[in-house]
Amino acid sequence: MAVMRVAQVSRAQGPFEIVERPIPEPGAGSVRIKVQACGICHSDSLTKEGAFPGIKYPRVPGHEVAGLIDAVGPGVEGWKPGHRVGVGWNGGYCGYCDHCRRGEFFACVQGAITGISYDGGYGDYMVAPASAVALMPADLRAVEAAPLMCAGLTTFNALRNSGARPGDVVAVLGLGGLGHLGVQYAAKMGFHTVGIARGKDKEPLARELGASVYIDSQAQDPAAELLKLGGAKVILATTTSGDAMSAVQGGLAVNGMLLVIGAAESMLVSPLWLLSGCRSVKGWYSGTSIDSQDTLAFSVRAGVRPMNETYPLDRVSEAYDRMMSGRARFRVVLTIAE
Ligand SMILES: [Zn+2]
Ligand SMILES: [Zn+2]
């Protein structure tokens, strides 16, 4: 029997274990993917630490998957062995629940999440519903595509749905795993892009990524600096610090929006400030497979790439700890077969 290696977690807060398992067969409506690379996202801690309600073990994490379809289950249309594909956080949708029928596929009641509802990409192979699969452009390496399946998708899709127009002031709060991609997308979309981070030392990076203005939130008041530019139409908040989000909201223009994609626990908002300028605070879900596909295609055309640190699968524990430390520059990726 053909076997594969996977990095599984056997219980909440348990260690990663590299184990051998039979290579799975794809069921109806699913495809099997030979994984080439898989990014390690902060949300993988939900699997590792058992923080996701109802998660079952053992479980293989990983929702930044890039690889090749190598087998197709019954009833799958459009996908064939050999297709280069990615799988992200959205683990597929049913197509017939009320949300799906309204086109809100991300809110499907089935709610499958890759690496949580079923085994993800920390392994040689995985099986995913066809609705979760995105086509990967030929000239994008798997190791570069992987982080774009979650971090890239989330920032790209939030920005393109933000209502900001070319020339508008768009600020990206935080220059980490999400922010270093957000700045690139904002600049390539033609926004007047502002990078906000802590410390003067991040300025060269922000400018290299495409920011035309940099605000050091330790030395300057970011809200006041944004207002000097006329206020931000959109502030994309990528940090996990609610305090940092609270500190920038005063920099919103009239009709400006604080667009939250960093999972901070709480933040302070001034209702008077919101209502006096029709300002808003909004959250953004990452996206579904077609949004991922758009993200990959745009990234190739526009020259947006993640900055990665790579590890082989057998060093998964070290790689995960590196990601959790917050010191990685900027995404951590498992290279599995590339
Ligand atoms: Zn993620
Ligand atoms: Zn549905």
Side-chain angles (χ1 to χ4, degrees):
M1 184 172 51
V3 295
M4 64 174 185
R5 297 168 310 153
V6 298
Q8 70 178 24
V9 180
S10 294
R11 56 184 162 84
Q13 297 171 17
F16 287 106
E17 303 158 358
I18 307 275
V19 298
E20 287 194 341
R21 291 188 190 176
I23 297 175
E25 289 302 322
S30 291
V31 301
R32 183 172 69 209
I33 296 166
K34 184 173 184 352
V35 180
Q36 295 175 312
C38 185
I40 298 184
C41 178
H42 194 272
S43 304
D44 294 342
S45 63
L46 296 172
T47 303
K48 178 79 164 61
E49 308 306 329
F52 200 89
I55 186 168
K56 295 198 175 68
Y57 293 95
R59 184 59 76 222
V60 178
H63 60 267
E64 291 190 338
V65 187
L68 281 176
I69 291 181
D70 90 322
V72 172
V76 171
E77 299 289 340
W79 298 106
K80 295 206 163 43
H83 277 154
R84 303 184 76 227
V85 295
V87 182
W89 172 263
N90 186 284
Y93 46 86
C94 73
Y96 53 80
C97 74
D98 284 0
H99 288 300
C100 285
R101 291 167 65 202
R102 289 182 213 283
E104 301 157 343
F105 299 104
F106 78 92
C108 176
V109 296
Q110 181 187 296
I113 302 170
T114 313
I116 291 179
S117 314
Y118 57 82
D119 288 334
Y122 289 20
D124 291 327
Y125 292 88
M126 68 168 286
V127 167
S131 61
V133 171
L135 198 62
M136 177 163 50
D139 34 7
L140 188 62
R141 293 175 56 208
V143 66
E144 293 177 323
L148 300 179
M149 292 303 300
C150 181
L153 161 66
T154 304
T155 49
F156 172 79
N157 209 27
L159 286 169
R160 72 169 176 168
N161 286 291
S162 69
R165 300 186 302 174
D168 284 347
V169 173
V170 171
V172 177
L173 174 64
L175 269 180
L178 290 169
H180 89 289
L181 289 162
V183 168
Q184 293 181 69
Y185 287 124
K188 298 290 186 182
M189 288 177 186
F191 303 138
H192 183 184
T193 304
V194 181
I196 308 172
R198 291 153 56 87
K200 190 76 185 158
D201 56 317
K202 304 256 178 58
E203 176 162 4
L205 171 73
R207 293 196 181 276
E208 183 192 327
L209 296 171
S212 44
V213 178
Y214 178 74
I215 299 172
D216 170 5
S217 61
Q218 283 176 322
Q220 297 165 291
D221 172 0
E225 294 302 313
L226 288 173
L227 290 178
K228 283 183 197 168
L229 302 170
K233 198 73 184 175
V234 169
I235 302 174
L236 184 68
T238 73
T239 121
T240 51
S241 160
D243 289 344
M245 293 185 194
S246 303
V248 297
Q249 56 158 321
L252 287 173
V254 165
N255 280 314
M257 188 199 326
L258 181 67
L259 194 48
V260 177
I261 57 172
E265 283 205 356
S266 63
M267 64 172 291
L268 289 172
V269 180
S270 161
L272 183 61
W273 177 244
L274 293 184
L275 66 88
S276 64
C278 290
R279 298 175 182 90
S280 59
V281 178
K282 182 181 166 102
W284 189 263
Y285 177 86
S286 60
T288 57
S289 54
I290 192 65
D291 299 310
S292 301
Q293 192 165 315
D294 291 348
T295 303
L296 298 181
F298 181 91
S299 302
V300 166
R301 283 189 216 111
V304 174
R305 293 291 187 281
M307 296 180 182
N308 297 333
E309 296 180 3
T310 60
Y311 292 80
L313 183 63
D314 54 16
R315 287 169 63 196
V316 60
S317 298
E318 185 186 346
Y320 176 82
D321 290 345
R322 177 69 177 164
M323 180 281 300
M324 290 298 283
S325 75
R327 290 192 297 271
R329 290 174 60 92
F330 286 92
R331 300 298 287 186
V332 177
V333 182
L334 295 171
T335 49
I336 294 167
E338 199 190 37

